[in-house]
Amino acid sequence: MEPGVTRTVAVIDYGMGNLTSVAKAFAALFAEVIVTSDPKALSNAERLVLPGVGAFGQGMDNLRRLGLVGALHREVIERRKPFLGICLGMELLARDSLEQGHHLGLGWLDATVRPLEPVGQTLKSIHIGWNDIRPRGECRLFTGLGTEPCFYFVHQYWLDCLDSDVVTATASYGRELVAAIQRENIFGVQFHPEKSQETGLALLRNFLHWQPDRGSC
Amino acid sequence: MLKTRVIPTLTLRGSRLVKTCQFGPARDVGHPVKAPMVYDAQLADELIFVDMDASREGRGVERIEAAISALAGSCFMPVTAGGGIRSLEDIRLLLLAGADKVSINTAVIDDPSLIERAAERFGSQCIVIAIDVRRASDGAYDVFATGGTRQTGLLAVGWARRVAQLGAGEILLTSIDRDGTMSGYDLDLVRIVASSVDIPVIASGGAGRLPDLVDVIMVGRAAAAAAASLFHFTDISPIKAKAYMKRAGLQVR
């Protein structure tokens, strides 16, 4: 980390679940954290985090209602600020979701969100618990975390991503699930780094210090 | 591979943590912020934090909310909060305070529609339904509400199936008879409930020795082993427990 640089992170509050832990995790990593639902405030942050737990449709409604869809497009797509979507926050990047009907997402990924299916007696329709992920390629979100770091998952839907180039990690739950994506400055994780103790904090630290450069990832 | 979970359960009474025996007499076991931090350091997979007197004393979620808030900046691990939850607003406050999941018992027995409404509003993955069970003399598994004081007329398997159908994400199944006795989980109870539902069952009540943690997963088919006395009153830590479970062939973190 460059001396004297404080990272400013906006944790976006769009009324979808627990963002206290996300905010406190970044604070524990010495970032300056703004928790906000104000689209204008996003322009003050150096990087953005979209957390979230809950229903896709409700999440998109809230983003639209708060005027955040346009602001996210401006800050992330146009201004290319580093962005991290966590759980629902990653799912919302999809083109659409089949959760409780059919809903359109932000469309930043060529993907559809689908319900998890139970597999026999052992794999239930909710993926809850710690699971290993297998990073692919050289994604710097996973630098220093070992070959199969373990994170905490809690979700019922999965990202069916048609563009395999953006998939940076998978986890095994009946099928190979997308555990993480990256498209240039846009990162997404299906699991909860803010609930994954030291491994999770290390990943958030990697996000905090990620800079785009001439190389890959 | 998805790991089997080991989950210390912390019971709040007043400003201290306690451990009960069969939901009755209680012993002081520690401080509500310091104890969780120790479990966090020992790689517990999750924590369950319950104010078990709330329903019986007619209180709401204030105490458990305060306890969860106090933890939020120091423990970055999944926490389930329970005790006295009666409404969507109670759930919202606990999630906002830092809980990842909430555990509800009495309120959903009185009004099962709360499960559906909560699942719709917050997502099933946040909603753990706690089912407390006593075994009757004829062998039936009776469901009890209000901190084990009120017989409901419901049977464990039927009620478990119903809550799963209504949108519960997980079931926290406690044998009141085994609670605090350290005589082993009620494996029959755990197995018949775990086999009857499509959602994970966290088994609670009776863990006293390391083999109990293996049996409840392998024989009981639980997805997770919750334990309290085991960690409070023996020298077994989550680290030691998981090392034992791993040697027995279980996938643990």
Side-chain angles (χ1 to χ4, degrees):
Chain A
M1 179 172 157
E2 306 97 304
V5 175
T6 303
R7 305 290 183 192
T8 332
V9 176
V11 175
I12 299 165
D13 179 4
Y14 59 119
M16 298 306 287
N18 171 24
L19 40 70
T20 309
S21 301
V22 175
K24 295 215 170 174
F26 279 107
L29 295 169
F30 306 110
E32 198 183 301
V33 182
I34 320 167
V35 174
T36 182
S37 49
D38 178 2
K40 293 191 289 296
L42 300 191
S43 49
N44 297 332
E46 191 223 350
R47 44 200 77 209
L48 309 178
V49 176
L50 188 70
V53 168
F56 190 102
Q58 178 85 68
M60 282 307 301
D61 283 347
N62 290 4
L63 286 178
R64 279 185 209 108
R65 194 172 33 82
L66 291 164
L68 287 166
V69 175
L72 283 170
H73 194 272
R74 183 190 68 228
E75 300 299 323
V76 181
I77 305 293
E78 291 172 17
R79 294 193 184 153
R80 307 173 65 78
K81 285 183 179 170
F83 169 95
L84 175 65
I86 298 174
C87 198
L88 177 65
M90 176 178 89
E91 291 170 22
L92 292 175
L93 307 183
R95 197 184 38 236
D96 59 354
S97 168
L98 301 178
E99 176 178 351
Q100 290 170 15
H102 183 239
H103 303 274
L104 295 180
L106 291 172
W108 295 357
L109 297 176
D110 186 10
T112 296
V113 174
R114 302 181 188 282
L116 281 173
E117 284 133 26
V119 180
Q121 263 297 306
T122 39
L123 295 184
K124 312 289 187 170
S125 56
I126 274 197
H127 182 202
I128 294 192
W130 295 84
N131 204 344
D132 302 316
I133 69 158
R134 277 168 293 287
R136 282 184 193 174
E138 298 293 320
C139 184
R140 280 185 273 134
L141 215 57
F142 305 112
T143 303
L145 300 189
T147 45
E148 289 200 4
C150 199
F151 290 95
Y152 191 79
F153 287 79
V154 53
H155 63 115
Q156 293 173 271
Y157 296 87
W158 63 287
L159 194 75
D160 183 6
C161 194
L162 300 174
D163 178 3
S164 57
D165 286 344
V166 304
V167 177
T168 51
T170 59
S172 186
Y173 191 72
R175 50 165 28 99
E176 273 304 285
L177 293 182
V178 171
I181 60 99
Q182 181 188 0
R183 203 191 100 194
E184 296 166 43
N185 57 310
I186 303 168
F187 295 88
V189 292
Q190 181 70 74
F191 49 82
H192 288 268
E194 77 285 8
K195 292 293 160 179
S196 299
Q197 294 173 320
E198 287 307 316
T199 314
L201 289 177
L203 182 144
L204 292 179
R205 190 182 290 113
N206 287 342
F207 169 70
L208 210 49
H209 301 313
W210 179 85
Q211 296 285 359
D213 62 23
R214 46 272 120 201
S216 62
C217 260
Chain B
M1 236 212 100
L2 186 70
K3 312 296 180 193
T4 296
R5 291 169 279 157
V6 169
I7 309 180
T9 305
L10 300 169
T11 304
L12 194 66
R13 180 167 281 176
S15 59
R16 300 288 295 176
L17 295 177
V18 298
K19 183 66 201 82
T20 54
C21 191
Q22 296 177 332
F23 282 29
R27 287 192 265 179
D28 184 300
V29 294
H31 187 277
V33 177
K34 293 186 188 143
M37 287 174 68
V38 172
Y39 286 128
D40 185 24
Q42 290 171 342
L43 295 186
D45 294 312
E46 297 184 19
L47 286 179
I48 294 174
F49 222 128
V50 177
D51 176 357
M52 69 173 289
D53 303 319
S55 280
R56 192 159 45 82
E57 293 172 5
R59 283 186 290 103
V61 300
E62 318 75 42
R63 253 184 226 173
I64 198 75
E65 187 197 346
I68 297 292
S69 269
L71 275 184
S74 37
C75 277
F76 296 104
M77 64 190 292
V79 175
T80 301
I85 296 172
R86 302 214 68 89
S87 65
L88 296 184
E89 180 60 13
D90 287 339
I91 299 173
R92 192 188 72 84
L93 288 173
L94 289 175
L95 296 179
L96 200 62
D100 300 279
K101 299 184 259 174
V102 294
S103 171
I104 321 175
N105 184 348
T106 302
V108 298
I109 288 175
D110 294 340
D111 176 12
S113 80
L114 179 59
I115 305 175
E116 275 175 309
R117 289 184 285 121
E120 199 186 302
R121 170 90 180 268
F122 303 105
S124 288
Q125 70 284 336
C126 302
I127 310 301
V128 178
I129 299 304
I131 302 180
D132 296 338
V133 177
R134 273 204 174 97
R135 191 173 180 151
S137 46
D138 63 355
Y141 285 117
D142 294 327
V143 175
F144 278 73
T146 321
T149 59
R150 174 166 47 119
Q151 189 154 15
T152 61
L154 298 167
L155 293 175
V157 170
W159 179 232
R161 282 202 177 118
R162 182 128 181 259
V163 308
Q165 198 192 11
L166 288 169
E170 286 177 298
I171 288 170
L172 172 59
L173 179 67
T174 301
S175 162
I176 301 175
D177 304 309
R178 299 292 179 111
D179 170 61
T181 62
M182 301 177 72
S183 56
Y185 291 97
D186 184 334
L187 296 177
D188 290 334
L189 168 64
V190 177
R191 193 180 53 245
I192 55 168
V193 171
S195 312
S196 68
V197 292
D198 197 34
I199 58 175
V201 172
I202 304 166
S204 174
R209 305 169 315 128
L210 290 167
D212 295 334
L213 300 175
V214 174
D215 291 341
V216 81
I217 307 299
M218 288 189 167
V219 178
R221 308 245 181 93
S229 298
L230 184 77
F231 296 125
H232 292 315
F233 305 129
T234 74
D235 66 350
I236 295 170
S237 63
I239 295 176
K240 213 175 195 176
K242 294 205 276 182
Y244 182 89
M245 292 163 83
K246 189 170 187 172
R247 280 196 301 274
L250 291 174
Q251 289 281 335
V252 290
R253 183 170 64 107

